[in-house]
């Protein structure tokens, strides 16, 4: 999965660098960057729980989202 283009940073060689973009957003503070990413992950897990409870099994033909990735 790729990040949204507006959250990607361009490096000098033209390659996308999402890690540099995240660090730049927090002025190079790695602890703040990690804290934000963990908070975002927790938020997305709560959103996944809410969507799981709102979806009917017939709508998704038996598929159910899981919190852990493979």
């Amino acid at each position: 999965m790729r990040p949204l283009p507006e959250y990607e940073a361009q490096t000098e060689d033209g390659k996308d660098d999402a890690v540099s973009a995240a660090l730049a957003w927090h002025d190079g503070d790695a602890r703040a960057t990690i804290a934000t990413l963990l908070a975002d992950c927790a938020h997305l897990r709560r959103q996944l729980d809410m969507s799981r409870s709102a979806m009917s099994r017939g709508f998704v033909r038996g598929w159910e989202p899981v919190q852990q990735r493979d």
Side-chain angles (χ1 to χ4, degrees), residues 63 66-70:
W63 176 81
V66 294
Q67 287 191 358
Q68 300 301 323
R69 61 183 181 174
D70 297 331

Side-chain angles (χ1 to χ4, degrees), residues 19-35:
V19 174
S20 294
L23 285 168
W25 182 264
H26 293 285
D27 298 321
D29 186 349
R31 291 183 61 85
T33 303
I34 293 170

Side-chain angles (χ1 to χ4, degrees), residues 6-47:
E6 58 266 23
Y7 295 110
E8 292 182 349
Q10 292 291 324
T11 58
E12 289 180 14
D13 58 3
K15 294 183 179 176
D16 296 330
D17 190 1
V19 174
S20 294
L23 285 168
W25 182 264
H26 293 285
D27 298 321
D29 186 349
R31 291 183 61 85
T33 303
I34 293 170
T36 298
L37 292 172
L38 290 173
D40 288 348
C41 184
H43 170 73
L44 291 172
R45 287 180 184 265
R46 286 189 302 271
Q47 294 291 310

